[in-house]
Amino acid sequence: MNPPAHTILAAALLATACASAPESPAPREAGAGPDPAPFSTAAALEVLPPGWVPFKLTRRKKPTDYRLVAVEGGIALQATADASASGLRFDTVADLAEYPWLTWRWKVPALNAMADNTLAHREDSPARVIVLFEGGREQLPESERINYDLAKAIGGNELPYATIMYIWENQLPEGAVITHHFSTRIKMIVAGSGTGNLGEWHEERVNLLEDYRRAFGEEPPRVRAVGIMSDSDNTGERTVAYFGDIRFSRR
């Protein structure tokens, strides 16, 4: 049975805004790898590194504040969500057969005590690293094609074939997989959990290839974009998070 129409519409708006990317990413320099432009080498705090662009969920959603800051002798991205939701995206191409590993650094000073990513009305996270995958409508399960069609009709953008969101969660253990409430093509994987590493920089290293296989039960297509997001629009809380550089690696 298909979910109610308003639920599908919400999913289309969310996924179109959070997970849409051009079919052809911006040209990269010859020999450049798939890594997003690093925050740590930004020329100035006032300007994001080239290639990083903001996205909004809808016009009605208050955007999260993203800014480069000097911290502990380096430069990182600070995300402040205050009853808000928006993110940043970087278009790229990565073949996981060649670059199966994804690494990044993040720091979350405090949890959003009201958040619970297993409940649609409380689905918020102070920090998300988002990976979007290539693919078209014809490759989607029949039950998901209505989401694809709605998103294109409403926003003019095609949904990604699949999306993985690595999130900081309050209670679930690291490695837990949550299927998004509105689409089976969006999987949330817990990469940071609870209070154990709060207030400290934490190095994450995930096998994106194996996580995709585990989440979707199939071989992955190429990555087409990477994003970050901090959101608290469902709970109305205020959270702060810090993001370091995101990199793909062969081993």
Side-chain angles (χ1 to χ4, degrees):
M1 180 179 296
N2 288 330
H6 70 276
T7 298
I8 297 173
L9 178 60
L13 288 172
L14 171 69
T16 299
C18 291
S20 62
E23 287 300 320
S24 300
R28 310 293 298 275
E29 293 182 5
D35 295 347
F39 302 121
S40 62
T41 59
L45 296 181
E46 296 76 20
V47 182
L48 291 173
W52 283 103
V53 296
F55 63 76
K56 295 181 179 180
L57 269 69
T58 70
R59 293 180 181 178
R60 296 181 180 181
K61 294 281 187 182
K62 177 183 176 182
T64 295
D65 180 74
Y66 295 97
R67 62 184 63 196
L68 295 172
V69 294
V71 290
E72 301 170 16
I75 297 176
L77 185 79
Q78 176 182 284
T80 303
D82 189 359
S84 63
S86 68
L88 301 175
R89 190 192 72 224
F90 189 95
D91 297 334
T92 188
V93 174
D95 185 343
L96 297 190
E98 183 179 4
Y99 295 98
W101 294 92
L102 187 69
T103 63
W104 72 90
R105 298 174 70 235
W106 58 4
K107 180 170 71 171
V108 174
L111 296 176
N112 178 348
M114 299 297 295
D116 183 344
N117 285 275
T118 67
L119 302 175
H121 65 287
R122 291 168 59 186
E123 187 211 322
D124 283 330
S125 179
R128 302 177 190 259
V129 172
I130 305 171
V131 185
L132 317 177
F133 294 86
E134 293 181 341
R137 182 185 186 280
E138 68 281 357
Q139 298 166 282
L140 291 170
E142 187 66 34
S143 60
E144 288 292 340
R145 292 180 184 177
I146 189 169
N147 288 350
Y148 187 98
D149 294 340
L150 276 173
K152 189 170 184 179
I154 294 168
N157 292 310
E158 298 178 349
L159 295 184
Y161 174 71
T163 301
I164 287 180
M165 296 184 179
Y166 290 101
I167 66 172
W168 197 294
E169 228 287 308
N170 285 7
Q171 299 184 30
L172 292 179
E174 293 182 9
V177 178
I178 306 169
T179 298
H180 197 274
H181 318 288
F182 303 131
S183 174
T184 62
R185 303 308 297 172
I186 302 174
K187 304 289 186 178
M188 294 178 281
I189 299 180
V190 178
S193 179
T195 61
N197 295 308
L198 289 182
E200 301 176 2
W201 280 104
H202 189 60
E203 300 275 352
E204 299 290 352
R205 184 173 186 269
V206 299
N207 190 320
L208 183 54
L209 173 62
E210 292 301 327
D211 280 347
Y212 185 97
R213 290 169 173 167
R214 182 164 61 99
F216 293 104
E218 62 187 32
E219 291 300 307
R222 297 188 307 177
V223 171
R224 76 184 210 187
V226 174
I228 61 171
M229 187 166 77
S230 180
D231 55 300
S232 62
D233 56 315
N234 290 316
T235 58
E237 298 295 297
R238 184 181 188 276
T239 61
V240 177
Y242 298 87
F243 294 87
D245 300 341
I246 302 172
R247 296 186 174 91
F248 290 90
S249 65
R250 292 183 170 90
R251 62 177 67 184

